[in-house]
Structure formats: C-alpha cells, structure tokens
Amino acid sequence: MLTTEIILLIAFGYVGILFAIAHFGDRRAAQGRSIISNPYIYALSLAVYCTAWTFYGSVGRAAASGLGFLPTYIGPTLVCALGWVVLRKIVRISKIHRITSIADFIASRYGKSGALATLVTIIAVMGIIPYIALQLKAISMSYNIINQFPLIVMPRYFADIPVLQDTAFYVALLLALFAILFGTRHLDATERHEGLVAAIAFESLVKLVAFLAAGLFVTYGIFQGFGDVFTKAAAIPRLQELFIFESRGGEYFSWCIDIILSMVVLICLPRQFQVMVVENVNENHLQKAVWLFPLYLLAINLFVLPIAFGGAVYFTVGVDADTFVLTLPIARQQEMLSLLVFIGGMSAATSMVIVETVALSTMICNDLVMPVLLRLPFVRSSRSQDLSTAVLNIRRGSIALVVLSAYAYFRFVGEAYALVSIGLISFVAVAQFAPALLGGIFWKQGTRDGAISGLAAGFAVWSYTLVLPSLVEAGLLDEGLITRGLLQIAALRPYQLFGLEGLDPIAHAVFWSLLMNGSFYVGVSLFSHKTALELTQAALFVEVFTYPAKAEESSLWRGTALVTDLRILLERFLGNPRTEEALNTFASKRKIRWGPLSKADPALVTYAETLLAGAIGSASARVMVASVVKEEPLGLDEVMHILDETRQVIAYSRELERTTAELKSANDRLKQLDRLKNEFISTVTHELRTPLTAVRSVAEILHANPRLPPDQHRNLTDVIVRESERLTRLINQVLDFQKLETGKMTWQLLPVDIREICREALASVRPLMEERNIRATLDLPEQLPPISGDHDRLLQAMLNLLSNAVKFCDSRGGQVEIQVSRRPDHLQVAVRDNGAGIRPEDLEVIFEEFRQGRHDSRGRPPGSGLGLSITRRIVEFHGGRIWAESQPGRGSTFSFTLPFTFQQQEE
Amino acid sequence: MTPDSLKKRRLAGVFLLGWVFFNYPIFSLFNLPAAWKGIPLLYGYVFFIWALIIVLIMLAARRDPPPDEPDR
C-alpha cells in the first residue's frame, strides 16, 4: 500500500541518489576521469529540454488540441539538422571567449556591453521564473494525486495547504541546496559542473523510462494497441475532431509559428545554453548528439497521443488531462507503475529547476549584482580583498532567491493557468534573444544599439500581449482590457493587436514580438555607429573559424599594465592557487619569466581578461581589467589593423604552405634533371672511352711493332682514323646540343629540296648499310616545291634518323625505307625500319634529352642519347613536328613534318 | 569543396526537407479523416517524417565524408 511515508521516502530518496551521482561525477572529474565526456551523456543532458511540461503538459495539450503539442519537439529536431552549423559556431565562440551564459554571449558580441547583459538577464529572469514555478506546481500536483492512491482526487487549491506542510516547498529547498552544492562549488574560469551534468543525464533516463512504461501500460495494458485507442476515441465526436486540423488557415499558421518558436528557443533557453554550450566537453560530441537528442524527443512523445486519447476515453469527466499519465495507472491500481511515473515526473521537474537556477544565478550574479558591486567605492579601492568567496555567495543567494520566487509565484499567481500556457509564455520571452543571438553570429553589421532596441521592443510586445492578459485572467486587472483594448482602442486589444485576428494568443504574440524585435534590431543596427570594441567583437564572433583558437592571439589591448597588478586582480576573483596555475601555464607556454616590475604584454592582458570573463562575465571583466591597465584608446583604424594582422597570420601560413608545395615540386623536377644529367655524363664518357681505348690500343700495337706489314699497318691506321671520326662526331653532337640549348646556333635559311637531302643522307650511310646487309628503299614524289631551311641541319636530322634506323635494324634481312609525301600545306618525311621497335611507354620520352629507349635484351643502346633530341629541336625550329610510331617486334617509324611556308621562330 | 562544407550542405538539405514536409501545403495533403490500422493518417504521417528526418540527420552527420576529394 502506498502510504504517505513511503511516497515521501521514495521521493526524497530519489533526490538523495541525485546528490550521490553528482558527488561521484565531481570526484571523478577531479581525478581527471570524466564520466560525462561522451556524446551519449551529452545528448541525455540536452534532454533537460523535456520538463514536467513535457511529462504531464503534453498529454493535456494533446487532449485539447490533437497535434498541437508537437511543434515544441519538431522545432528542436529541425534545429539539430542545422546543429553542425549553428550550434557548433556558438560552442566554439563560447569556448574561445569563456562565455558562461546567454546574457554574457550577447553582451560580449556587442562590445561587452554591461547594459545589454543586464537587459537580457532581466528578460530571462522574468520569463523563466514562472516556468520554474510550473515545475514546482507539477511536483506538488503529482504528489497530491499519488498521495490519494487508490482514489483519484483532483487537487483544487494549493493555497489551502500551509507552506510548511507543502511537499513542493521542501523539494524546492532541496533543489536549491543541490544547485548550490554542485553548481557553485568553486569559481572557475570554465564554469563546468561535471557532477551536475551527470545527475541531469541520469534524470533524463529516468523520465524517459517512466513515460515509456506508462505509455506501454496504457496502450497495451488498458487498450489493445495504438489502433484500438484511436478507434475507440474516434467514436467520440469531440475527440475525432482532433484527428485533423481545421480547414481554416489559422491552424497551419499557428503550427508553423510554434515550430519557429521552439526552434529558436532550443538555442535561447538559459538552461539549454548551459548544458549545450557551457557544459560541453568536446565540440565533436555534437556530431552524435544532433541525432540522438531528436531521437530522445521522438521516443518520449511516442505515447503522448495514446495516453491523451486513452485517458479521454477512460475518464469521461472530472479528471484533468494534465494528470492522465499518473491517474491512468492509479485508476488501474498499479502501485509500482504509479510510483515510477511520479518519480519520472519529479525527475523532469527537478532537472529543469536545477539547471535553470544555476544558469540564472550565473546571469544574476555576473550581470546584475557584479556591475553594481564593482562600482562601489570600497570594492574598487581595496585592491587586495578576496572577492571569489563573495562572488560564490552572491550566486548561492541568487539560486535561493530564484527558487523561492518561483515557489512564491506558483503559490500566489500560478493557480489560474494550465501547465502548457505558462511554459509557452516563457518560451516567447526567451525567444526574444534570437535576433540578437543569431544576428550576432552571422551578421557583422549588428550593433549594440540595434540589439538593445530590438530586445526592448520584443520584450514590450511580449509583456503587452501575454503578461498583461495573464494578469487579467488572474483577476488583477479589469477584463475590459482584453475585450475592448487599452483606453478603449480596439486596435490595442492584447490578443488582437492592430486588429490581427484568427491566431491563437501564443502565435499572435510570437508574430508581433519577433517582428518588432527583428525590425528594430536590423533597422537600428543599420543606422547606428559602432565602437572599435563592437567592431572587433563582431568580427571575432562572425568569423570565428578564421581567427586563432585562443583569445590572446587576437589581442586587442594596446596599453600598459604591470604583471603584478594583473596577478592581484586575478587573485581577487579566482583565488591564489588558480591564478598561480593559470599564469604559470601562460608563462611556460610562451617561455616568459616575469620579474616584480615586468610589464604585461597585450596577449597577457587579454588572457587575464578572458579568465576573468569566465568567472564574472565579459562586461565586468572588461571593467576590472580596465581599472589596472592604462589603456590607450584604440582607434578604428588600429582595430582594423589588428584584426587584419591576426587574419593575415593565418592567410600567410596558408600561403606559406602553398609556396612550400610549389618549391617541393620544383625541387623534385630539379632532382630528376640532375639524375638525368648524371646519366648523360656517364653515357657520354662511356661513349668517349670506347673509341679512345680503341685508338690507344691500336697506337700501342703500332708502337710496339714498328715493322708490321704495310697492309696490316694500313688496316690499323684505318681503325684510328674511323674511331677518331666517331669521337669527333660525338663531341660535335654534344656541342650542337649545347648550342641549340642556349640558342647560339646560327641558321642559314635558303630554299632547300628535301629530296636532295634524303639522297645525300642515304649516300652517307650506304657503306654502313652494305656492311650490315641492309636494304634501303627511297620513295620520293616526282614534284616537290622547295622549302626554306638550313641545309646542313636538316641533313643532320635526316642522318640522325637514318643512323638510328640502321642501328636498330634487324641484323638479318634489315630494311630501311625513306618516304617523302606531300600534304596540302606541309610535307611529311618518314623513316621506317624493321627492328625491335620501341616500347609504347618510351614513344614520348625518347625525344627528351639524355633519354634513351630501353631494350629488353640489349640493355642501353649505343649513342649519346642526344641524337633524337637534337633532331626534334631542328624540326621544331623549322616549324614542324616529330613523332614516332612503333609496334614492338615489328619495327618503328619516325616521321616529321616541314611546312612549306615557315616563319622563323623567335629564339 | 571541403568535406566539412559538404556535410554542412547535406545537413542544410535535411533541414529544408523537414521544413517542407512539416508545413503547409504538403501537410494538408495528409490532413484527411482517414486511418491506417486505426491510427489517424495525419498522426502516422508526422511521426513517420519525424523518424525519417532523424535517420537523415544521422546519415549526414555521422562522419566526415571520405577524404578522397581534394581539400580545395
């Protein structure tokens, strides 16, 4: 039997488990073995998005409007698709600038503006406190219901219960204690709370399991599956109407507006900013979280419709749809399940309260209290006073204050509203941050004045269209305000502002507030001037991926400060050990040693400011650092210059990479040429040595045998002459090549008959051919106009080709054919042999200098490797083209063309 | 195109797809008083598209595309 004692024991036992998990998480973090550093815990912690509003309120809303509850979860799914672009950018910016709240983010973007931070904080506090109250209300309501087990009694008025007998009051106190213990343990520049995140992730798991269990029980325990629930509901006309949208356009528009609202809210809610951005361990966790988190949302919403319709079918009257999740198991006398659902609802509520109060307390402390505190004369003047404890105490006080205000709100104001309405009103309030936030990271022209006026306008419209009517409904104001409008002006009716009708109050408020907000933001931004600091921050935010990943590397201080002064300042807020550690890290990274009178360089000043920003917010940090730095005002030009400088460093390093790559390839090419040259030298010297050796050995024979018979003597001297000629030829070739290469060759251009040259060339190699039994054929046209060319060079080219052909001809039955043919504007000469042929891969390279085709059997062919290269240059000088065709084993053909009209090339 | 910008484009595509499928007028095509195995058509449609979008996000964000494309 569920007695009050058991329920209380379980409830407070559950909170005890949270304390244990958080404690464990913090201890592991201190040991450096984080339990939250993985995408799954990260995604679960994001599910703090699902509050008691999801757990109880979605069912209530579904029972009243069908699909109307879903945009709140579809919007975040769509944002997750853009998560890699939008969320990652916000996370990156926040890590670089050590931003710890959304107020700080917006303020920092618009020139570290204290006023903007304060405005954002005020809106957030006003918008969120009712939302926290809603969670407390849910806890109280669910407790009162389960306490009546097995009866189902709707709690009517909470005001009847004395505060000191209200369970929700004690839960609120416990939650405040939790937030204080694990949310403000120490003042750290990163402001991450591992234990807290671990507890939140655990709570997300609990609420999902509880809701799924309830859903399964209702769908399959009370009914026979999804189809059965809806079929039974379809029999009731009031429920069947909810299966489709009304055909009027208004509902589609509201649906669309609701999706937009929840999209921006996922980024703008302080608690989402806390878990998504501030508590993010590694930005790569987003990669998995962007689909895990929507999957969580899908799972927790799967049974909302069956429970809503099941409840509406089951209880015909007298049970609030907001409580169906709990009352259906109670109606079926399911003790354990009822208890599980109660704990699930509590986990949804408590996780939200914890994270939201921590996030709000950071904002209240840094952006409301600190600015005032730091202006007090005695705080400013006493330089050695330790402020870190004071800051922590302010945060602790803020947490208590937030929780207690929320409780008070729930007790005295929140009676009139259903869960969902309060939640949506809060949503619209924080949605006002969207233009300044999104504009801030994608639009450099956004200014501080624009952001302030946009926020103020949006906030004003929100107050008028949603808060004012809620006061009317709470009975605090005259109802005529809603029906007839302010001062009896119909255009000023809060629910039909400027006569806009046909929208539900939320869609109506979202439309007008975001329209005003956005218009003022853009309009004023375009007509206002930016300070140097705003300009800087705009560039650093919008182009975060093009600047260095450390804030101090794009340093924007031009001033002088003593290192000692900065150290004292840091110690006041961070305490001695942390300051020491941070400064030592900085010094050792940059290999600096500071003496007692060392001046701080701009990088150190920026580093100190960023550290402080993590603890007390960017606007306050700016003020504090400015108090010890004698700043020389930065001109606009100077800012642009510094920004350019840092960007240029990156651009420069990219340029350097590219140049290095180019140099590397040039170097490779040079190495290859060098290798080829070496080969060439060894080839040439080898070729020179062979005839030289021959000449020398013959000369030695002649010297040793002076009385040789005359014919033998003659034979031997013949050898000397032939070999010397070969030597001369070789040396001439090298010289020719040298001349061609350096452009020193002199050309004598005269009309030349190419047939003549062919005959001459053939005549010179004929003895050699006869010696090797090679048959030569000459195929010349009868009529051929002369071309303009250098006779000797063309002859040389022809000889090169012919001697090549002879060299590679088949040793038995060799054949060489010369063919000249006439084409319309040029003539073509082909020299064909029937030798071993050339490998296809060598067809191109053989014309390059020092290259020779390889022969599989014979190795390197005789010759310098320059002949074909010289030939190519000669042909190209005459405006022609040379190429080789070959089928290995069937011989090869070398052809070149010579144009009839030829303009001498500029050499 | 860098692998990262390819990924961004894919994810932006998923977003646009989701936006179109979750809004008027595509939405109105399924706004019929029909049911599939007892489940109202519109409800089934919304949850189906929702699941589809999640799978697409998973595929698009899963890992960096293979680095066989040149970086610039």
Side-chain angles (χ1 to χ4, degrees), chain A residues 736 740 745-762 764 784-803 818 820 827-829 831 867 870-882 895-900 902:
Chain A
D736 277 353
L740 277 168
M745 180 74 85
T746 44
W747 304 82
Q748 291 179 318
L749 293 180
L750 296 166
V752 178
D753 187 348
I754 201 77
R755 292 175 296 182
E756 207 52 48
I757 288 177
C758 290
R759 286 192 200 104
E760 253 179 77
L762 191 60
S764 350
L784 199 66
I787 61 153
S788 158
D790 185 311
H791 175 271
D792 291 355
R793 298 294 160 220
L794 286 174
L795 181 62
Q796 187 187 0
M798 203 59 214
L799 269 172
N800 276 340
L801 290 182
L802 266 181
S803 51
I818 305 172
V820 178
L827 55 86
Q828 184 173 331
V829 183
V831 179
I870 291 173
T871 308
R872 187 185 69 175
R873 276 159 200 267
I874 293 172
V875 170
E876 281 174 358
F877 174 85
H878 286 89
R881 189 170 79 76
I882 186 166
S895 315
F896 64 89
T897 60
L898 292 172
F900 292 121
F902 142 65

Side-chain angles (χ1 to χ4, degrees), chain A residues 70 73-74 77-78 81 84 88 227 230 242-245 252 255-256 263 287 291 294 298 301 305 309, chain B residues 4 7-8 11 15 19 22-24 27-28 31-32 37-38 40 43 46-47 50 54 57-58 61-63:
Chain A
L70 262 190
Y73 308 95
I74 288 173
T77 304
L78 293 180
W84 194 248
R88 191 169 68 122
F230 291 118
L242 301 177
F243 287 0
I244 55 168
F245 276 12
Y252 288 121
W255 166 273
C256 174
M263 279 172 61
Q287 199 158 322
W291 65 267
L298 176 72
N301 278 295
L305 287 166
F309 287 107
Chain B
D4 194 54
K7 185 151 125 182
K8 281 181 189 164
L11 285 165
F15 169 79
W19 181 259
F22 276 130
N23 272 295
Y24 185 83
F27 213 73
S28 66
N31 192 23
L32 303 169
K37 293 194 175 175
Y43 295 0
V46 168
F47 276 90
W50 196 356
I54 293 172
I57 296 177
M58 183 182 81
R62 191 169 45 181
R63 56 185 137 77

Side-chain angles (χ1 to χ4, degrees), chain A residues 172-210:
Chain A
L173 289 185
L174 262 183
L175 292 180
L177 181 67
F178 184 94
I180 287 170
L181 273 183
F182 297 102
T184 62
R185 176 156 282 192
H186 43 63
L187 201 56
D188 190 10
T190 56
E191 280 302 325
R192 286 189 31 235
H193 315 92
E194 298 226 337
L196 192 140
V197 173
I200 297 309
F202 172 74
E203 298 220 78
S204 294
L205 216 51
V206 171
K207 67 192 175 204
L208 180 63
V209 169

Side-chain angles (χ1 to χ4, degrees), chain A residues 673-871:
Chain A
L673 282 178
D674 193 45
R675 197 171 48 76
L676 286 173
K677 194 194 75 191
N678 284 342
E679 265 179 34
F680 167 67
I681 287 175
S682 80
T683 316
V684 168
T685 41
H686 177 77
E687 289 299 313
L688 288 174
R689 205 173 51 193
T690 321
L692 261 179
T693 318
V695 169
R696 191 179 140 199
S697 38
V698 171
E700 272 171 4
I701 294 171
L702 288 175
H703 182 74
N705 308 294
R707 291 175 209 293
L708 276 175
D711 54 333
Q712 261 194 23
H713 188 273
R714 201 184 137 86
N715 277 348
L716 287 173
T717 43
D718 260 0
V719 172
I720 293 182
V721 171
R722 254 203 336 270
E723 292 299 317
S724 322
E725 276 171 355
R726 197 170 141 195
L727 260 178
T728 315
R729 236 184 4 253
L730 212 59
I731 291 168
N732 280 343
Q733 249 186 8
V734 174
L735 289 176
D736 277 353
F737 179 74
Q738 170 73 12
K739 273 190 198 160
L740 277 168
E741 189 76 337
T742 52
K744 283 180 189 154
M745 180 74 85
T746 44
W747 304 82
Q748 291 179 318
L749 293 180
L750 296 166
V752 178
D753 187 348
I754 201 77
R755 292 175 296 182
E756 207 52 48
I757 288 177
C758 290
R759 286 192 200 104
E760 253 179 77
L762 191 60
S764 350
V765 289
R766 181 141 287 172
L768 193 62
M769 293 171 101
E770 276 168 4
E771 198 177 294
R772 297 200 185 177
N773 278 328
I774 294 171
R775 212 153 55 81
T777 37
L778 202 54
D779 178 8
L780 304 175
E782 305 237 321
Q783 296 273 317
L784 199 66
I787 61 153
S788 158
D790 185 311
H791 175 271
D792 291 355
R793 298 294 160 220
L794 286 174
L795 181 62
Q796 187 187 0
M798 203 59 214
L799 269 172
N800 276 340
L801 290 182
L802 266 181
S803 51
N804 247 4
V806 170
K807 217 187 298 178
F808 295 114
C809 234
D810 214 335
S811 47
R812 280 165 297 181
Q815 283 189 359
V816 171
E817 189 190 349
I818 305 172
Q819 187 184 37
V820 178
S821 43
R822 189 181 167 172
R823 300 285 151 86
D825 55 346
H826 65 269
L827 55 86
Q828 184 173 331
V829 183
V831 179
R832 206 165 287 133
D833 66 60
N834 63 345
I838 306 161
R839 294 187 303 174
E841 59 264 39
D842 285 340
L843 281 176
E844 287 291 325
V845 288
I846 48 170
F847 291 105
E848 284 175 26
E849 48 268 32
F850 320 136
R851 292 278 198 141
Q852 293 173 314
R854 303 269 165 182
H855 282 257
D856 298 330
S857 50
R858 281 182 272 174
R860 187 195 294 283
S864 65
L866 281 179
L868 280 174
S869 178
I870 291 173
T871 308

Side-chain angles (χ1 to χ4, degrees), chain A residues 30 64 99 202 226 231 262 273 354 396 416 432 448 450 454-455 463 561 604 612 668 758 770 797:
Chain A
I99 284 164
F202 172 74
F226 287 96
T231 314
S262 59
F273 196 90
I354 291 167
R396 289 168 184 147
Q432 302 310 320
R448 187 189 70 123
L455 273 173
S463 310
L604 177 62
L612 268 188
D668 287 348
C758 290
E770 276 168 4

